[in-house]
Amino acid sequence: LSIFASLKLKKGKRGDSKSPLSFANRIMISVEKIKKIVDIKIAESTNFIVDISVKPGNKIVVLLDNVQGVSISDCVAMSRHVEFSLDRETEDFELNVMSPGLTEPLKILRQYQKYIGKEIDVVTKENKKIRGKLLSVNEQGIKLETQTNEKVEGKKGKQKIISNINLTFSQIKETKIVISF
C-alpha cells in the first residue's frame, strides 16, 4: 500500500516541432536539483526522503516517508512545491510523489528505525533468507531476533530456539516488512 500524488502536465507533444519543448530541446532535470527543491519542503515537516529518481523523459519520482506514515496531503503538498519550483517554459516533466509501499524494500536507515520491533525478511548477499524481529539498527547494520524449531538432545519433540543475529548493511541484499493481518 502506498499513497501518492501524480502530476502529468505536458506542453505540446514530444517531438512536435511547433512545441517550445520539442524532444530535441528538452532539458534533463537532475536528481540534485530535485533534492534541493524537496529539502526546502522537508525541513517544514517530519517527513523524510527515501529516494528521488529522474528517469528518461524527465519522469520524476519522489518517495517520502514518516515515522507516523505519510498522508495524501503530504504528497500533494510536496508535488505542488516541486511543480511550482520548476519552470515549465524550459522543463517538461512528469511528477510522482508517493510513499513507499509496504511491499517495497527498505532503502535508508530512517526506514529501518521506523520498523524497530516489527517482523522483517532479510535476504543476504549470499541469497540466504532470514525472518526475524528487528531489535535495533545503527549506521553499521541491524540486530534481529530469530526463532527456529530444533530437536534438542534429551528433550521430546522440537524446541523453540530464540537467537539474535547481527548483520551489517554490506551483508544485506534486501529487507522487506512482513505483512500480517
Side-chain angles (χ1 to χ4, degrees):
L1 300 172
S2 73
I3 298 173
F4 93 103
S6 178
L7 177 66
K8 294 180 184 181
L9 298 172
K10 300 218 179 216
K11 290 189 174 189
K13 294 179 183 169
R14 245 186 248 165
D16 181 352
S17 61
K18 296 178 185 177
S19 168
L21 297 171
S22 70
F23 186 71
N25 296 329
R26 290 182 41 176
I27 298 170
M28 183 67 174
I29 299 170
S30 72
V31 170
E32 293 78 24
K33 181 175 185 171
I34 300 303
K35 182 166 177 8
K36 286 178 185 175
I37 292 168
V38 170
D39 281 344
I40 294 167
K41 189 73 174 168
I42 286 286
E44 301 170 2
S45 71
T46 57
N47 295 332
F48 54 90
I49 301 167
V50 172
D51 192 28
I52 296 174
S53 63
V54 180
K55 297 176 176 133
N58 282 336
K59 293 181 180 174
I60 303 165
V61 177
V62 178
L63 292 178
L64 298 177
D65 209 344
N66 188 312
V67 174
Q68 285 80 35
V70 177
S71 70
I72 188 71
S73 62
D74 292 332
C75 294
V76 169
M78 182 60 76
S79 181
R80 287 182 180 152
H81 174 73
V82 172
E83 178 193 2
F84 293 126
S85 299
L86 296 173
D87 182 1
R88 284 219 172 263
E89 295 302 316
T90 59
E91 301 164 317
D92 188 20
F93 60 89
E94 178 180 317
L95 175 62
N96 291 305
V97 177
M98 62 186 85
S99 67
L102 290 175
T103 60
E104 293 295 313
L106 302 181
K107 293 184 178 188
I108 64 169
L109 184 65
R110 286 186 72 181
Q111 284 183 295
Y112 280 90
Q113 291 168 336
K114 176 180 175 177
Y115 291 105
I116 290 176
K118 305 288 187 206
E119 194 167 22
I120 60 173
D121 283 331
V122 177
V123 178
T124 66
K125 294 209 172 151
E126 293 80 31
N127 287 321
K128 180 180 175 188
K129 188 174 179 182
I130 304 168
R131 179 171 282 191
K133 183 165 97 175
L134 181 60
L135 296 178
S136 64
V137 62
N138 60 35
E139 291 78 20
Q140 288 75 43
I142 63 173
K143 183 177 188 178
L144 289 176
E145 177 183 272
T146 63
Q147 292 184 19
T148 56
N149 291 322
E150 297 177 14
K151 176 78 174 133
V152 177
E153 191 175 321
K155 301 271 183 168
K156 207 179 222 185
K158 291 186 177 184
Q159 302 293 312
K160 187 184 298 186
I161 307 294
I162 297 175
S163 58
N164 292 335
I165 298 174
N166 292 307
L167 294 168
T168 64
F169 286 117
S170 64
Q171 294 173 299
I172 297 172
K173 181 178 181 180
E174 181 178 85
T175 303
K176 290 187 176 185
I177 303 306
V178 174
I179 302 169
S180 60
F181 298 96

